[in-house]
Amino acid sequence: MFFSHLAAFALLALAAAEPILSPHVVLEKRTFNPEARGWRLTRRMEGDAVLPVKIGLAQRNLDSIEDLLMTVSHPDSPDYGKHWSVDKIVDHFAPATETVNAVVDWLMQSGVERSRLRLSSSKGWIQVNMTVAEVEELLKTEYHVYEDDDGAERVGCSQVNH
């Protein structure tokens, strides 16, 4: 199914203690013309179709990466060769609890049940399967199906409705 090739959404999660549900603000917009690539609009995406949604969370301590790498990789460092475990790396760079909670609260206030949400093992993503109707309401957009010259179908949105 062509959904397996659908790139999931990456939304920037703001580290606010309380989510702000209104007004809707577009933080990033791509200027992409599907017709210029030979894609033809074939139909509006079915509202009950399921999309894999991945929301990228703002990580902590990214400004320290270079220093940490030098600490374990420079021969003159007292911590030379003391490489971190995967768990230590994940914990050090994981988003703040407030960030995760803000996104979870936003999704729940938007009607997504908590039981549907999954935090990735890297703690950098919240994953949820949502219907097209749910995503359209959440992101204030419309999803369409495009077909390329080879007949492959692709899903995309090209406008903000509200």
Side-chain angles (χ1 to χ4, degrees):
M1 188 107 192
F2 62 92
F3 291 118
S4 65
H5 299 291
L6 177 65
F9 312 131
L11 302 175
L12 176 62
L14 302 176
E18 293 293 324
I20 300 173
L21 297 180
S22 136
H24 182 81
V25 176
V26 176
L27 297 176
E28 181 178 322
K29 182 178 180 180
R30 294 186 179 153
T31 54
F32 176 75
N33 182 356
E35 290 81 12
R37 294 195 67 170
W39 297 1
R40 293 174 303 285
L41 176 64
T42 60
R43 68 184 185 277
R44 176 88 184 263
M45 189 69 202
E46 297 81 9
D48 61 349
V50 176
L51 299 174
V53 177
K54 289 179 74 174
I55 301 172
L57 304 172
Q59 294 177 284
R60 293 176 301 131
N61 303 317
L62 292 178
D63 57 326
S64 66
I65 288 176
E66 184 176 359
D67 291 339
L68 293 171
L69 287 173
M70 292 305 294
T71 298
V72 299
S73 61
H74 194 282
D76 293 337
S77 169
D79 291 323
Y80 176 68
K82 296 178 183 175
H83 301 286
W84 287 14
S85 68
V86 171
D87 289 340
K88 185 172 180 179
I89 293 169
V90 167
D91 290 342
H92 186 79
F93 294 107
T97 301
E98 295 81 12
T99 299
V100 176
N101 290 343
V103 175
V104 167
D105 289 347
W106 169 63
L107 289 167
M108 289 176 56
Q109 289 178 25
S110 298
V112 179
E113 299 85 18
R114 174 68 180 96
S115 62
R116 294 171 54 195
L117 305 176
R118 299 285 179 261
L119 185 62
S120 67
S121 59
S122 69
K123 300 181 183 179
W125 299 90
I126 291 180
Q127 304 166 13
V128 59
N129 289 333
M130 297 177 73
T131 66
V132 168
E134 289 175 314
V135 176
E136 287 180 341
E137 176 63 27
L138 183 71
L139 301 178
K140 312 294 185 232
T141 192
E142 290 181 2
Y143 281 80
H144 297 90
V145 177
Y146 297 85
E147 188 175 286
D148 67 18
D149 291 335
D150 296 327
E153 291 185 323
R154 308 195 188 272
V155 176
C157 60
S158 59
Q159 66 187 26
V160 174
N161 291 332
H162 304 286

